[in-house]
Amino acid sequence: MYQSGASPGSALATVVQGVPAAAIAPAYTCASAVHYALCGLRISLDPERKRESMEKYLGPTRSREWN
């Protein structure tokens, strides 16, 4: 429990302990979705990045089939 004379660090620790994981999980999921959306946008706007990505995941021979 937070004491009025306690340090700010202990107040922060009290708040962090009080936040349930159910409140943090949706924020993490949303941030992850935004991350993947921005990565996809970057790949779609830059043909060189798309080629590099296709070679990374499909290999150099199969990536040429997608071009």
Side-chain angles (χ1 to χ4, degrees), residues 1-66:
M1 177 158 267
Y2 177 70
Q3 303 292 325
S4 62
S7 71
S10 66
L12 179 63
T14 302
V15 170
V16 169
Q17 289 174 353
V19 175
I24 295 174
Y28 173 78
T29 304
C30 182
S32 187
V34 169
H35 167 76
Y36 285 114
L38 292 176
C39 284
L41 180 65
R42 181 180 69 178
I43 287 172
S44 69
L45 293 176
D46 187 359
E48 180 63 24
R49 288 227 190 246
K50 181 176 182 178
R51 187 186 62 74
E52 289 173 0
S53 179
M54 297 298 275
E55 284 183 2
K56 179 179 179 181
Y57 293 106
L58 297 177
T61 56
R62 288 195 57 207
S63 68
R64 285 187 220 129
E65 296 171 6
W66 288 90

